[in-house]
Amino acid sequence: MAGEITETGELYSPYVGLVYMFNLIVGTGALTMPKAFATAGWLVSLVLLVFLGFMSFVTTTFVVEAMAAANAQLHWKRMENHQEEEDDDSSTASDSDVLVQDNYERAEKRPILSVQRRGSPNFFEITDRVEMGQMASMFFNKVGVNLFYFCIIIYLYGDLAIYAAAVPFSLMQVTCAMGNDSCGVEADTKYNDTDRCWGPLRRVDAYRIYLAVFTLLLGPFTFFDVQKTKYLQILTSLMRWIAFAIMIVLALVRIGHGRGEGHPPLADFSGVRNLFGVCVYSFMCQHSLPSLVTPVSSKRHLTRLVFLDYVLILAFYGLLSFTAIFCFRGDSLLDMYTLNFARCDVVGLAAVRFFLGLFPVFTISTNFPIIAVTLRNNWKTLFHREGGTYPWVVDRVVFPTITLLPPVLVAFCTHDLESLVGITGAYAGTGIQYIIPAFLVYLCRRDTQLAFGFGTINKHGSPFRHTFWVGFVLLWAFSCFLFVTANIVLSETKL
């Protein structure tokens, strides 16, 4: 995501790629979705979830098409460079008449050869991992590139703020309940930040202590390079699926025994703003598609596999959210859904309560340094000058500091995870998920026609080929910006 052409990595089968995409999309956003569902009403939530899932699928196919077009340009440039080298090696004659005749013959032959080669579908094979920043630099002008990086940076800041708030919030909820000689969050208990946690310490004080510890332990990784290891990814994915499976099964058992407390409304449009942001955030994968798609060994049925992934994700989100809103009362659902299972009347086994309560701590903590380093690298790329280097202080101190400080300050001021996820998804998420892919596919189609001729077929082209879909996505994104902004202004005015 730092905007370069990076190593493809070890190849894997299409079905492994399907699992990786599933794991990437189903993350922190899923844990905030149940409360958003309960607030907006089950019917409105279901309709919006399905529609946003469809829109995300459309723009995912846009990004895949842009990746194929970028690969075609790279392949063509390599072939031309190789041909020029061969021409230079074969030009050994010193007679100027021979050189002129040779150049004339090449000029006559090249268009025919070019048309033949350009018609080859192999040009659009996705073999180079072209990150979104590099695609932006290939298809956008300078202003567009800067806006792209600005959008990515704002989104990553939101991501880090969510992570920085989620871990201390989970720790506060679990440990403060223990400090009050309770086995968890009781059904009818409403906690305020000013309530006591341990002795004279208030809950907000405990939260900020945990935030400080979290920053001191994980913040230094921002100043170095860190990469996600294969085994760490496997461990966090395994923990995630165990946690989700436990929550769904426990909620179903509770509902089956007639102890479901939830009676969600059909529709409540006051909650649509946060629901929209949460859903957009929960379908976010466009910025990581180059890393996911490029190593897939066989891309023949790539679009079908992506569609299958989205169907499975929709089914999973629906199952998780519907079991939640019918199992728990809407006003008792917490921002982080795992914390609802810290109650003794829901989970009798203490080990399971602690595992679910502390689940976000383990999984999010492993992702925080990776996102922070990615954000730092995007800052470097945004201000990079061709051939220039940064002074040591700027490179090793300034960039990491401006990466780490803003999200920690936001987390210090608020731990309202639903709002953080909603705002991040509604603004920066809309830009990454809708606006950038729409412009990428529109401009890459234009460049492909100019470079390879009209009628050229991109083998990985989106099934939504008509320009109408590009306009529809942009119109939808613009409508979302207006709706969310108007909703925020009206809400603040009422307050």
Side-chain angles (χ1 to χ4, degrees), residues 231-267:
Y231 300 106
L232 188 61
Q233 184 178 0
I234 292 172
L235 178 63
T236 53
S237 296
L238 185 63
M239 289 180 63
R240 179 187 306 163
W241 284 112
I242 291 173
F244 281 131
I246 290 174
M247 289 187 292
I248 290 172
V249 169
L250 287 175
L252 285 172
V253 169
R254 189 174 172 83
I255 294 170
H257 288 167
R259 291 187 291 156
E261 303 166 352
H263 300 283
L266 198 68

Side-chain angles (χ1 to χ4, degrees), residues 402-468:
I402 64 174
T403 297
L404 186 61
L405 202 56
V408 171
L409 289 176
V410 170
F412 182 84
C413 296
T414 180
H415 55 69
D416 187 351
L417 292 173
E418 189 185 10
S419 294
L420 286 174
V421 171
I423 292 172
T424 301
Y427 286 103
T430 298
I432 294 171
Q433 194 165 156
Y434 301 140
I435 298 175
I436 291 172
F439 277 112
L440 269 179
V441 79
Y442 177 77
L443 294 172
C444 87
R445 286 170 181 173
R446 188 189 65 180
D447 285 8
T448 298
Q449 289 178 348
L450 290 174
F452 299 100
F454 288 91
T456 304
I457 298 175
N458 185 336
K459 63 185 293 184
H460 294 295
S462 169
F464 308 96
R465 290 184 175 88
H466 200 281
T467 311
F468 161 80

